[in-house]
Amino acid sequence: MTGNDHGGRLGEEFFTPGTSSFTEFLAAHRPELLSTRRILPDGLRAAPDQVPHGTTVLALAYRDGVLIAGDRRATMGNLIAQRDLEKVHPADDHTAVAFAGTVGLALDMVKLYQVELAHFEKIEGVAMSLDAKARRLAGMLRQNLGQAMQGLAVVPLLVGYDASAPEGGRGRIFSYDVAGGLYEKRGFHAEGSGSPYARGALKKLFRTGMDRREAALAALQALYDAADDDSATGGPDISRRIFPIVSIITEDGFERLPEPETEALSREMVERRSSRPDGPTATP
């Protein structure tokens, strides 16, 4: 951001009072750095088999907060582009974001969103409310609308722990459409190509008041069902020891479940599936 225009010194814009939004600051002074605003030439559309896409992510509320998880596969058309992609990221101490869609743009958007939240807190001296965080991500998606219409869409899933919410509802889930439409979901939700199957699994497995282990197993079962019917979603890869990413947010903040824990739960689930391939039935 310093560049050579000021002889290595910070420009005047850094010392002029203005917005607490980092993206608005970039838009005003260095718009070329905003990858979400770049538009392809007229008439050009990204080919789906030339750009890596991330697939299934999901979230569910549980007793202590909210859980968010994602498979690890990225695809380019009918090819597997990456087997160990990380689609779940902390946004700040009590917020996390996962994504489906165009991988390169999604990773840039996640990094920009992380800076956006940190910048606001440094300028204002307080953290943004969870509702404001959800709206801010919606605004960033609207900036990407031109590219989304050209085949480079990003669909995030946002979760957070809201200490100001009534007890039992502090783990909150927000979904979006490609135009930045914002929707709060109750209980659970999934996005990506395998989301219909993941939501179907969660519909039968979810119940209020689940503990951490129950919630993690429900998420893994839902991702397994998604992978079973959607070729773009990757299930647990036992031979390569590549397992879904599962993270939680509680009053204590963001925590990614340790890989040994995720591996043990995944192996337990796969072992159970050997005798019941369709997975567990709904709890009475």
Side-chain angles (χ1 to χ4, degrees):
M1 284 293 295
T2 57
N4 296 320
D5 294 339
H6 306 286
R9 299 186 299 274
L10 292 176
E12 184 180 343
E13 63 270 18
F14 287 89
F15 303 98
T16 303
T19 178
S20 57
S21 168
F22 184 72
T23 54
E24 290 179 8
F25 177 82
L26 278 185
H29 302 288
R30 294 291 296 276
E32 71 277 7
L33 296 179
L34 283 173
S35 60
T36 54
R37 291 196 173 187
R38 297 172 191 155
I39 307 296
L40 298 176
D42 289 342
L44 186 61
R45 183 175 174 83
D49 59 348
Q50 297 298 316
V51 181
H53 280 74
T55 48
T56 309
V57 295
L58 60 83
L60 65 151
Y62 75 108
R63 185 181 62 196
D64 299 322
V66 63
L67 177 148
I68 187 166
D71 81 309
R72 308 294 296 276
R73 180 172 292 178
T75 59
M76 289 195 305
N78 65 329
L79 300 178
I80 297 175
Q82 188 172 346
R83 300 180 188 275
D84 60 351
L85 178 65
E86 299 201 6
K87 304 173 187 175
V88 179
H89 302 268
D92 64 12
D93 290 342
H94 288 89
T95 317
V97 62
F99 65 84
T102 307
V103 172
L105 280 176
L107 291 174
D108 276 355
M109 190 176 293
V110 167
K111 292 174 184 176
L112 183 60
Y113 186 58
Q114 292 168 334
V115 175
E116 178 80 3
L117 299 188
H119 180 78
F120 179 93
E121 187 168 352
K122 289 178 180 178
I123 296 297
E124 299 293 338
V126 294
M128 206 181 289
S129 70
L130 184 55
D131 287 302
K133 293 174 188 177
R135 292 192 297 270
R136 191 61 61 93
L137 184 55
M140 294 173 65
L141 276 173
R142 291 187 196 103
Q143 294 176 3
N144 190 55
L145 181 57
Q147 291 183 97
M149 295 298 100
Q150 294 179 306
L152 298 174
V154 176
V155 182
L157 184 61
L158 180 72
V159 302
Y161 184 86
D162 188 352
S164 65
E167 189 158 354
R170 292 177 179 171
R172 299 174 64 190
I173 302 168
F174 300 90
S175 73
Y176 300 84
D177 59 36
V178 295
L182 170 61
Y183 314 94
E184 183 165 2
K185 301 297 182 178
R186 303 294 179 185
F188 61 87
H189 190 64
E191 292 287 359
S193 62
S195 60
Y197 313 107
R199 284 199 297 267
L202 289 173
K203 188 176 291 186
K204 69 177 181 179
L205 297 176
F206 176 81
R207 60 179 179 81
T208 57
M210 289 190 294
D211 62 26
R212 166 173 156 158
R213 174 183 168 81
E214 292 170 327
L217 273 173
L220 291 171
Q221 293 279 12
L223 289 171
Y224 190 101
D225 279 347
D228 199 35
D229 287 296
D230 173 46
S231 62
T233 303
D237 191 334
I238 301 295
S239 60
R240 294 185 177 88
R241 297 187 65 189
I242 299 173
F243 302 97
I245 292 177
V246 181
S247 297
I248 59 171
I249 304 177
T250 65
E251 184 179 10
D252 296 327
F254 175 92
E255 178 189 354
R256 175 169 166 171
L257 266 60
E259 189 166 317
E261 181 178 353
T262 307
E263 178 176 353
L265 290 173
S266 296
R267 290 181 181 275
E268 176 184 332
M269 177 194 64
V270 171
E271 178 62 27
R272 290 182 182 179
R273 290 271 181 158
S274 65
S275 59
R276 188 187 287 268
D278 292 333
T281 58
T283 303

